[in-house]
Amino acid sequence: MKFPYSFPLTRAFALYLGQAALLAGETFASILAGRIRWRLVLNQVVEIGFGSQAVVIITGIFTGAVFTAQIFFQFNALNMATAVGPVVSIALCRELGPVLTGLMVAGRVGAAMSAEIGTMKVTEQIDALRALAVNPVDYLVVPRAVAMMISMPLLVGECIFFALTASYFVATNILNVNSVFYLHHMWSYTHGKDMVMALTKGFVFAIIVVIVGCQQGLTTRNGAVGVGRSTTDAVVISSLSILMINFFLTMALNIIFPAGGARY
Amino acid sequence: MKSSSDNLIEVRDLRQTFAGQEILRGVNLDIARGKTLVLLGQSGGGKSVFLRHLIGLIRPLSGSIRIDGEEIAHLDERELEPVRRKIGMLFQDGALFDSLTVYENVAFPLRERGERNEKVIRDKVAHALELVSLQGQEGKMPVNLSGGMRKRASLARAIISEPSCILYDEPTAGLDPIVSDTINRLIRRLQSQLHVTSIVVTHDMVSTNHIADHVALLREGRIHFSGALAELHASTDPVIRDFIEGRSREID
């Protein structure tokens, strides 16, 4: 199997995957060993969770609103306007909520992690941590990982809540869908498993964003130019990874939480 | 020949290569306990790289590094932590944590080593800052400090946990003569009062004359000279003379 490694890109990709896997392994080993600095976790929850609220809420509101409008325009022609609720709800829970939240958090938090850790790397602050007998993974990655794993599912839930609220408002107040039918149909076709799927995806995307962002930061070189490159790469890699892994997650989670079926 | 227990650090046949370029080509050096060794050499000659090997920030390609009798060349990050607790390091640009104030930076090693008594931390930080003449700067962020102040705050952070050995990477580079003298005196004082072993990487001969017990000259990846300060000055080796007198062989 020499052939694939003759391509520099293949080698770089294999190397990158290896580094990311090692970092993930080391991070989870530290978490399981209890090397968690809860004060830093709390700081990161504030930074990641509270700091991302506006972005996630605005994303949720306008995605819910525009998706509702588009579904209504198509379905209304078929006299299926009251089906807008379930379609929007299931799409938001199973796909749009977690994916859009993941992408927004990757842009905001993943970039910040990469830039902050990357700057620490090029200014020898990571070496200073190591010289002071402090493991950089324990000090920098673990608090961010724990904070992300707590915050992301909550942010996904928040995004879905605001998207559904906006959807209800647009459907009933602007597009004149009957509110009772809208809510009844939405409630009938939306299940707890859809929400579990959303939160599970949010949890997985949290791990992707934190590992990619921190890995990019920790491997930053070449000063300010390197920090810029790491930041860009962190956003691009984590966004693409979210989109790709989302497909496989959907297929796998659909086995555990099969879609479809009315409650009544 | 000294017995090995007289030496805090023993380096044997240390080799390192970066991007195909040999930086260290078999360095052999002993650093005596409680003494100050000054490692001289040209800029880009591998002095800082050598220094980083002593605290495990860079793994050697081959060779042996013994700290207090313990071989550290093949230890992993977690195994290195007890060794690193015995050693303080002053980085060339300070490497202060820029998200923390001066106070938090200096208190950082104490907190990380489990000290929770805020009064003890406050007293120790005040003492460390007094040693480096930085009283009253506790609340400042590193970005608001001058280069010299950053270096002194970093030195306070390095000495606060009372290490048995301190590594100095260009401690006086970029500082005015008065601040340089403060740093030199502090290095001397730490040695005389606390018997700290110091390894100072520099090309500052004024500083060398002030602080060195022992001097080594790194040239082309090997130790070209190792001996007492007086021996360095008495040497007739043209390479050493050029370095001491700051003379270039390049033709104008």
Side-chain angles (χ1 to χ4, degrees), chain A residues 30 37 124 127 130 138, chain B residues 52 77-78 84 98 112:
Chain A
S30 284
R37 290 162 168 82
E124 295 185 315
D127 282 342
R130 295 169 66 206
D138 292 356
Chain B
R52 283 162 176 267
E77 280 291 302
R78 298 215 185 266
R84 288 172 175 163
D98 50 20
E112 282 299 319

Side-chain angles (χ1 to χ4, degrees), chain A residues 24-98:
Chain A
E26 207 177 330
T27 304
F28 281 103
S30 284
I31 292 171
L32 291 174
R35 290 189 282 264
I36 302 173
R37 290 162 168 82
W38 287 106
R39 192 178 54 81
L40 297 181
V41 171
L42 200 63
N43 289 344
Q44 289 298 323
V45 167
V46 172
E47 178 64 31
I48 295 163
F50 285 115
S52 301
Q53 301 257 329
V55 169
V56 166
I57 289 171
I58 292 170
T59 303
I61 287 173
F62 285 95
T63 305
V66 79
F67 194 55
T68 302
Q70 280 295 354
I71 296 290
F72 174 83
F73 298 147
Q74 303 297 321
F75 279 28
N76 196 40
L78 304 169
N79 285 327
M80 289 173 64
T82 53
V84 169
V87 171
V88 170
S89 169
I90 288 170
L92 280 168
C93 287
R94 290 190 159 244
E95 299 299 338
L96 289 175

Side-chain angles (χ1 to χ4, degrees), chain A residues 1 7 12 23 38 72 75-76 83 93 96 127 140 142 147 161 165 194 201 207 214 221 228 242 246 254 257 261:
Chain A
M1 283 294 287
F7 291 109
L23 180 62
W38 287 106
F72 174 83
F75 279 28
N76 196 40
C93 287
L96 289 175
D127 282 342
L140 296 171
V142 168
F161 172 78
T165 306
D194 298 321
K201 283 186 172 183
I207 296 168
C214 293
R221 285 179 193 170
I242 285 170
N246 180 54
N254 200 54
F257 309 114

Side-chain angles (χ1 to χ4, degrees), chain B residues 73-164:
Chain B
H74 306 296
L75 297 183
D76 67 25
E77 280 291 302
R78 298 215 185 266
E79 290 168 335
L80 276 166
E81 284 172 10
V83 178
R84 288 172 175 163
R85 287 195 191 101
K86 297 182 207 165
I87 303 174
M89 181 160 181
L90 173 66
F91 287 84
Q92 199 166 350
D93 293 318
L96 291 172
F97 304 126
D98 50 20
S99 58
L100 304 179
T101 63
V102 169
Y103 179 90
E104 291 298 333
N105 262 286
V106 179
F108 186 86
L110 298 177
R111 292 194 202 283
E112 282 299 319
R113 284 163 209 194
E115 181 59 67
R116 293 288 175 265
N117 186 329
E118 202 53 43
K119 187 181 179 310
V120 171
I121 293 173
R122 212 167 33 241
D123 290 348
K124 285 193 173 183
V125 170
H127 179 62
L129 289 175
E130 191 186 334
L131 276 175
V132 298
S133 310
L134 265 186
Q135 307 98 307
Q137 310 295 328
E138 292 88 341
K140 285 191 175 171
M141 299 303 285
V143 73
N144 297 321
L145 299 178
S146 68
M149 289 163 95
R150 269 204 298 274
K151 210 165 258 191
R152 282 184 284 157
S154 178
L155 186 52
R157 184 179 66 183
I159 62 177
I160 195 161
S161 48
E162 298 171 3
S164 56

Side-chain angles (χ1 to χ4, degrees), chain A residues 114-158:
Chain A
S114 178
E116 189 179 346
I117 296 175
T119 304
M120 288 183 75
K121 177 82 191 307
V122 299
T123 55
E124 295 185 315
Q125 291 176 58
I126 304 274
D127 282 342
L129 273 179
R130 295 169 66 206
L132 291 165
V134 176
N135 189 298
V137 172
D138 292 356
Y139 190 79
L140 296 171
V141 185
V142 168
R144 285 168 170 79
V146 174
M148 277 290 279
M149 288 188 278
I150 294 169
S151 302
M152 264 296 275
L154 296 175
L155 288 171
V156 168
E158 189 178 26

